[in-house]
């Protein structure tokens, strides 16, 4: 009896291996796109940050360890000598005090006023768009124009501020000669420029607060101030922390206002009464003493980190009591 040969497996269609390879290739491309594309999207930022942020920071630290001046071809390595000289420099500590004083006088009232303005604009008002644009106009105004106008307003002999103070029997104040008066004048300039900008940031956060909370509070008889304190501020806590930190960093870096207020006097007045850290750095750069200026820059960088960190901790702790 003849045996039957075993059946052979059917041959695969000629196009199936090609489709399988194409499917595998598409799967690999999809996996690569899913895992690698996010890094490619953020890579330009990190490249630019490395070129214009990390490298200048590291190079400034290297320069601060040298006796670096453009008047000499060789730059001697001095280690931490610039920092030791800096810590014993009265001009440095005077500039640090002026920076802190101007920062506190300009930041605290500015943020309180910004929250209040944002709360007012968060209500149904006519011409809301016009009012919001008006708040942003001081920020887009040239800082030179701002300082020139405010310098005229704070003029000793013919300034409008002294003219108004004379109604209350206050004599002509030399705003740019005293420590407290010059700090107050510069703080007003900074407040005028940045209050509206911060108010719009707060307003954007307030727009995300559910309206039902305000309606329920109104039915319970809560006043506008109570709603601001009990509802609005607790709901925008992350935005408050962000604005406090950014405003603190900006206050520590103030340069244009004291420089222009003193008619381009890099010493910040005859007695350095309003010279800030940024202005002290600029003064040493004009002297071509790059090593010492770099040391001041790094100390200011450390101060900014310290003050911003303290502000963050205080804000995080204080916001718990607002609820």
């Amino acid at each position: 009896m003849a045996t039957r040969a075993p059946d052979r497996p059917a041959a695969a269609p000629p196009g199936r291996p090609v489709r399988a390879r194409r499917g595998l290739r598409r799967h690999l491309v999809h996996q690569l796109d899913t895992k690698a594309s996010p890094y490619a999207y953020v890579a330009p930022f990190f490249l630019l940050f490395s070129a214009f942020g990390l490298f200048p920071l590291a190079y400034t630290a290297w320069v601060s360890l040298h006796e670096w001046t453009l008047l000499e071809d060789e730059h001697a390595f001095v280690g931490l000598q610039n920092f030791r000289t800096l810590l014993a420099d009265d001009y440095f500590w005077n500039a640090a005090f002026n920076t802190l004083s101007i920062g506190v006088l300009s930041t605290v009232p500015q943020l309180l006023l910004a929250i209040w303005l944002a709360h007012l604009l968060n209500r149904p008002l006519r011409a809301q768009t016009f009012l919001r644009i008006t708040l942003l106009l001081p920020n887009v105004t040239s800082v030179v124009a701002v300082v020139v106008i405010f310098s005229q307003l704070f003029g000793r002999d013919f300034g409008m501020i002294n003219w108004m103070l004379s109604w209350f029997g206050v004599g002509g104040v030399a705003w740019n000669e005293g420590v407290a008066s010059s700090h107050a004048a510069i703080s007003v300039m900074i407040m005028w420029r940045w209050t509206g900008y911060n108010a719009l940031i707060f307003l954007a956060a307030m727009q995300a607060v559910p309206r039902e909370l305000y309606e329920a509070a109104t039915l319970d008889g809560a006043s506008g101030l109570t709603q601001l304190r009990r509802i609005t501020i607790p709901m925008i806590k992350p935005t408050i922390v962000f604005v406090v930190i950014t405003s603190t960093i900006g206050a520590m870096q103030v340069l244009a206002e004291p420089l222009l207020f003193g008619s381009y006097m890099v010493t910040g007045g005859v007695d350095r009464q309003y010279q800030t850290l940024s202005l002290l750095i600029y003064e040493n750069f004009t002297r071509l003493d790059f090593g010492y200026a770099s040391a001041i820059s790094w100390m200011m960088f450390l101060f900014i980190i310290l003050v911003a960190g303290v502000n963050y901790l205080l804000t995080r702790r204080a916001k718990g009591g607002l609820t």
Side-chain angles (χ1 to χ4, degrees):
M1 184 175 181
T3 59
R4 183 179 178 183
D7 296 336
R8 296 180 179 179
R16 182 174 297 177
V18 177
R19 288 196 297 270
R21 288 194 297 269
R22 290 178 178 174
L24 179 61
R25 187 161 52 247
R26 284 196 297 268
H27 176 72
L28 293 176
V29 171
H30 175 72
Q31 291 292 328
L32 180 64
D33 178 68
T34 303
K35 296 181 178 181
S37 59
Y39 297 98
Y41 296 148
V42 300
F45 165 77
F46 285 102
L47 291 176
L48 292 175
F49 177 71
S50 299
F52 299 101
L54 291 180
F55 174 74
L57 190 65
Y59 189 71
T60 302
W62 173 253
V63 173
S64 67
L65 302 178
H66 294 75
E67 189 68 31
W68 198 294
T69 175
L70 293 184
L71 301 178
E72 299 178 1
D73 295 333
E74 297 183 359
H75 312 298
F77 181 81
V78 295
L80 299 178
Q81 181 59 41
N82 285 327
F83 292 93
R84 286 191 290 266
T85 304
L86 183 66
L87 295 177
D89 189 354
D90 293 336
Y91 291 162
F92 169 75
W93 292 112
N94 173 72
F97 168 77
N98 292 339
T99 303
L100 182 62
S101 174
I102 294 173
V104 172
L105 290 175
S106 62
T107 301
V108 176
Q110 173 193 152
L111 297 181
L112 295 177
L113 184 59
I115 291 178
W116 180 68
L117 289 175
H119 179 66
L120 294 180
L121 290 177
N122 196 35
R123 300 179 177 182
L125 297 173
R126 294 183 179 180
Q128 283 188 344
T129 303
F130 172 76
L131 294 175
R132 294 172 184 177
I133 294 176
T134 304
L135 284 180
L136 194 60
L137 286 178
N139 183 251
V140 300
T141 305
S142 171
V143 64
V144 177
V146 172
V147 178
V148 168
I149 292 175
F150 274 90
S151 297
Q152 298 297 320
L153 293 176
F154 285 104
R156 183 183 61 181
D157 298 323
F158 305 103
M160 183 178 293
I161 304 298
N162 282 343
W163 174 64
M164 296 175 63
L165 290 176
S166 65
W167 300 346
F168 305 96
V170 179
V173 179
W175 292 94
N176 60 346
E177 294 182 5
V179 177
S181 59
S182 60
H183 291 188
I186 295 173
S187 299
V188 169
M189 302 178 197
I190 298 174
M191 288 173 54
W192 188 84
R193 287 194 66 213
W194 293 102
T195 298
Y197 175 82
N198 290 325
L200 291 181
I201 296 179
F202 287 134
L203 178 61
M206 292 178 184
Q207 294 289 310
V209 178
R211 307 303 303 180
E212 293 80 5
L213 297 177
Y214 295 108
E215 295 173 359
T218 302
L219 293 177
D220 291 338
S223 62
L225 181 60
T226 302
Q227 294 180 20
L228 173 65
R229 188 166 57 92
R230 294 294 185 179
I231 299 177
T232 305
I233 293 180
M235 292 295 292
I236 64 171
K237 289 183 290 189
T239 305
I240 293 177
V241 175
F242 168 77
V243 173
V244 167
I245 293 176
T246 54
S247 299
T248 301
I249 295 174
M252 293 292 292
Q253 297 175 332
V254 61
L255 170 66
E257 287 83 359
L259 177 63
L260 298 174
F261 187 62
S263 301
Y264 295 94
M265 187 180 295
V266 295
T267 57
V270 179
D271 297 325
R272 299 179 181 266
Q273 61 268 26
Y274 52 88
Q275 185 182 48
T276 60
L277 287 173
S278 297
L279 205 53
L280 182 62
I281 294 171
Y282 180 63
E283 179 186 4
N284 282 274
F285 269 114
T286 58
R287 296 177 177 176
L288 305 180
D289 192 354
F290 288 2
Y292 196 66
S294 298
I296 301 174
S297 301
W298 256 89
M299 288 299 297
M300 187 176 73
F301 173 69
L302 296 178
F303 282 167
I304 290 175
I305 293 178
L306 177 62
V307 174
V310 171
N311 249 335
Y312 175 78
L313 294 177
L314 292 178
T315 307
R316 295 284 294 183
R317 177 177 297 182
K319 72 180 185 180
L322 297 175
T323 56

